[in-house]
Amino acid sequence: MFSSAKLFASAAFGTVALGTLAVSAVAVAAPVPAAEPLGYYAIGMTPDAAQIAQWSIAIKPDGSNLPPGSGTVDAGATVYGAECAMCHGTFGEGVDAYPKLVGGVGALKTQKLKTVGSYWPYAPIVYDYINRAMPFYAPRSLSNDQVYAITAYILNLNGIVPDNFVADAKSLAAVKMPNRDGFNFKDPRPLTHDVACMAHCADPKALTVTSDASKSGITPRTTGPVDTMQGTPTK
Amino acid sequence: MARASRRKMFKFGAAAAGGALVAASTRVASAAVPAAPAGPLDDAWGHSLGAGVDDRPYGQPSKYEKDAIRRYVPWLAQSPQADASFTPLQDQPGIITANGYFFERYHAGRISVDPAKWELMIMGLVKTPLLLKLEDLKRFPSVSRIHFLECPANGATEWPAAQLNSIQYTHGLIACAEWTGVKLSTLLNEVGVKPEGKWLLAEGGDGSHLTRSIPLEKAMDDCIVAWGQNGEALRPEQGYPVRLIVPGWQGNQMVKWLRRLEIGTSPWYTHEETASYTELLPNGTALGFTWVAEAKSVISFPCPEKPLTGGPGFYEVRGFAWTGRGKIKAVDVSFDGGVNYTRAALQEPVLDKCMTRFTIPWHWDGKPAMIQSRAIDETGYVQPTIVEARAVMGTAAVYLNNAIQTWNVLADGSVNNVQLG
């Protein structure tokens, strides 16, 4: 008797709860489609073409979206001297650890020196990078003509364009960088295909310590906030 | 307890401070007995009033944890604004990296973005371009996911040889957090990607205006436009107010201070995916678009910073494993330099593209030991040895070092970073 009453009560409660859920689903949480259709949320504003143009600074390797303007190698030497040379050196040789911009062309296998001349595959991306990120201490402070001129000067330092080169949207797209074909953009990994050996995976007698960081002497001390050096690396 | 007897306890504690030791429980049970000596419960902090709720409106760690901090290698970069600091993995107990520990990587320094002025432009090959303010972005349906974030240069110094005697420096370019934000697919569905749109460009708002190209399949899969990090707003170090999370892929693709998303037909081949973050191989060609972080693991206790200090006996060996290809399936630990392995226990939760904690008991006999961990992910991929990795990548590589780490435990309990051949 008691049990059946209990049973009935639970069943009734279940019905009420289900009913509540159904109601709230309609009234409060309208179901969201698996893939929301275009403009479903209608939040934010639609920018106009002029606004979009202001944001649109990304250049592609084919030179698309390069802006109007131009710059000569000579003009570039002047701007570069004022804006870039303090870090990258007058002739792109690099100051301290700041990146070298010149050298190593054709010698990536032996010298491993990655410069604009030796490594960067696309001239329009030189413009893109200077325009978006340089100078380091004041990015986005150069005019289009100045960026074109610096690009011309750096390409000329690397022997990629002649002294009379004028950089603009058309001429940069036509420059073939020495390492244009040097990249494999299809990730070949995984590069190793091990099996998880659990026992006798190596000959214990053949195991030797080939290097020991406790003997390198270049680990910054890690004893507190003020870390001091044990040494400097040999490069 | 009556007020009088409590006062008695205070007096007693002070008087007995230099007395002989007995169990604390005995003393508490018979507080009125003057013969009971001081014990660990009667240290200074138990005799005084602690700080109030008005003391630290935003909390901070114990002053005794002052050495658990990010560190950087002074000779690594040209400027602190174009450098990286490292997560103190030796001090991270679980899979979540404290926001103050989370490693930094800047290309133009840590900027301070005014959230009231922040905007996100979504443009390019979309049916309806969109400009969002922060409060707009936060109105969209949101998700919270725990994912690691690893710099592809994690372990770079160890390609030529075992060089830095520290887990913080050999493995600390990784961190793991709970990220909250809008799925990128939600935003892309809202603007409507045109059929010819196959790639996404993400651009940051710092001085580097860093850009990375991401294929649309990944953008529509599990990427998050995130504003929340571990229970609070994204930290400035991590791109406040909004960064992109690209789960399991290179850290630099998770663009910080995100300001623009553009849809296009092909990759942009930006500076950060040609001049930087590409791997020059021994044959003179370079690998680009190496997006996924391969499976990797490391023992975080013991390690050079956390040696065995209790002499021979029981220790729990602990560590972290992760993979950008999904979940960690297993971690094996070797105590003999990789001759034999024993399967470790994975601690829950084991999540997708997330740091996973492993543990294994160890009765250390006090003899030198070469300890290693080896991760296996759900694709069946097995973490390689440094010898195997180097056979492909050479000794002058910078990125993609996911090799097995060997810690050399010495008889005195100290631990050194070594490589075996």
Side-chain angles (χ1 to χ4, degrees), chain B residues 7-293:
Chain B
R7 191 174 294 138
K8 226 173 182 176
M9 264 179 82
F10 264 93
K11 275 176 78 178
F12 152 71
L21 289 168
V22 297
S25 57
T26 309
R27 196 175 65 258
V28 169
S30 56
V33 181
L41 287 187
D42 270 336
D43 281 312
W45 51 78
H47 291 195
S48 54
L49 198 54
V53 295
D54 53 348
D55 184 49
R56 288 181 182 173
Y58 187 92
Q60 50 184 281
S62 160
K63 65 180 181 180
Y64 300 103
E65 295 297 318
K66 64 180 172 47
D67 292 341
I69 52 169
R70 294 189 286 243
R71 293 180 172 82
Y72 65 99
V73 179
W75 43 262
L76 214 53
Q78 62 269 39
S79 139
Q81 290 86 8
D83 202 349
S85 65
F86 296 74
T87 302
L89 287 179
Q90 68 277 15
D91 296 304
Q92 178 174 321
I95 61 169
I96 298 290
T97 305
N99 288 346
Y101 287 2
F102 204 112
F103 81 94
E104 302 153 281
R105 170 66 171 117
Y106 302 136
H107 299 80
R110 185 193 67 230
I111 56 168
S112 180
V113 175
D114 179 350
K117 293 179 180 166
W118 180 88
E119 287 179 314
L120 177 66
M121 172 67 88
I122 308 177
M123 52 180 275
L125 295 175
V126 299
K127 287 167 188 152
T128 313
L130 190 59
L131 190 58
L132 296 174
K133 295 185 174 301
L134 187 57
E135 64 262 32
D136 298 332
L137 180 70
K138 289 184 175 179
R139 283 176 57 194
F140 284 91
S142 60
V143 294
S144 293
R145 303 271 167 84
I146 304 177
H147 292 300
F148 74 84
L149 190 161
E150 184 182 24
C151 175
N154 201 14
T157 59
E158 309 304 296
W159 272 122
Q163 295 207 94
L164 297 181
N165 205 25
S166 145
I167 189 181
Q168 185 161 9
Y169 292 129
T170 57
H171 289 78
L173 293 180
I174 186 170
C176 186
E178 184 205 53
W179 309 100
T180 296
V182 181
K183 281 194 78 178
L184 181 53
S185 61
T186 301
L187 296 177
L188 295 181
N189 284 332
E190 179 73 1
V191 297
V193 175
K194 291 181 178 174
E196 62 271 33
K198 299 294 179 200
W199 287 79
L200 175 103
L201 182 79
E203 181 177 85
D206 64 323
S208 76
H209 300 91
L210 188 149
T211 38
R212 287 298 312 250
S213 306
I214 295 164
L216 194 63
E217 301 81 57
K218 179 67 174 177
M220 293 299 288
D221 179 18
D222 56 0
C223 297
I224 302 168
V225 178
W227 68 79
Q229 176 191 355
N230 288 342
E232 62 182 352
L234 205 65
R235 285 284 177 96
E237 292 93 325
Q238 300 309 322
Y240 178 89
V242 174
R243 88 177 301 170
L244 187 62
I245 294 297
V246 186
W249 287 25
Q250 290 189 5
N252 63 80
Q253 294 176 289
M254 310 200 202
V255 175
K256 300 195 276 190
W257 311 290
L258 186 67
R259 73 163 194 173
R260 191 165 73 89
L261 298 169
E262 183 175 349
I263 297 290
T265 55
S266 57
W268 280 257
Y269 297 101
T270 70
H271 173 273
E272 265 66 35
E273 55 204 24
T274 52
S276 286
Y277 300 114
T278 51
E279 188 64 71
L280 181 56
L281 296 173
N283 67 7
T285 68
L287 283 185
F289 291 175
T290 48
W291 299 309
V292 179

Side-chain angles (χ1 to χ4, degrees), chain A:
Chain A
M1 176 71 190
F2 271 123
S3 347
S4 71
K6 230 180 191 172
L7 203 70
F8 174 76
S10 319
F13 179 75
T15 309
V16 170
L18 276 174
T20 311
L21 266 178
V23 168
S24 63
V26 172
V28 184
V32 174
E36 306 91 329
L38 173 72
Y40 177 82
Y41 298 105
I43 297 170
M45 66 165 285
T46 305
D48 60 29
Q51 276 178 301
I52 291 172
Q54 286 183 324
W55 288 75
S56 182
I57 61 168
I59 317 293
K60 282 209 162 164
D62 65 2
S64 59
N65 211 32
L66 274 168
S70 66
T72 63
V73 172
D74 281 352
T78 305
V79 188
Y80 179 96
E83 305 282 351
C84 320
M86 72 286 274
C87 294
H88 295 293
T90 303
F91 302 103
E93 72 278 16
V95 175
D96 299 328
Y98 284 92
K100 294 177 170 57
L101 306 180
V102 172
V105 176
L108 283 175
K109 194 172 170 180
T110 49
Q111 287 188 28
K112 304 270 174 201
L113 179 59
K114 296 191 243 182
T115 70
V116 176
S118 71
Y119 198 62
W120 294 34
Y122 304 111
I125 303 304
V126 182
Y127 181 99
D128 177 277
Y129 183 66
I130 296 169
N131 181 55
R132 71 173 57 249
M134 291 290 126
F136 185 53
Y137 51 86
R140 308 274 304 128
S141 62
L142 301 171
S143 69
N144 292 350
D145 287 349
Q146 287 177 312
V147 177
Y148 275 121
I150 294 168
T151 306
Y153 179 68
I154 294 170
L155 294 177
N156 179 256
L157 282 179
N158 278 288
I160 295 166
V161 300
D163 294 349
N164 63 355
F165 181 76
V166 182
D168 60 23
K170 204 175 159 200
S171 68
L172 282 186
V175 171
K176 184 172 184 197
M177 299 294 277
N179 196 42
R180 178 191 285 189
D181 302 321
F183 289 84
N184 172 12
F185 287 106
K186 286 188 168 53
D187 187 352
R189 297 177 304 157
L191 295 170
T192 55
H193 304 272
D194 287 306
V195 288
C197 168
M198 297 304 285
H200 312 295
C201 309
D203 177 2
K205 289 184 192 122
L207 279 185
T208 52
V209 173
T210 54
S211 56
D212 184 337
S214 70
K215 298 184 169 74
S216 74
I218 59 170
T219 310
R221 292 184 199 281
T222 55
T223 51
V226 185
D227 294 337
T228 54
M229 294 300 299
Q230 293 177 347
T232 49
T234 48
K235 291 200 172 168

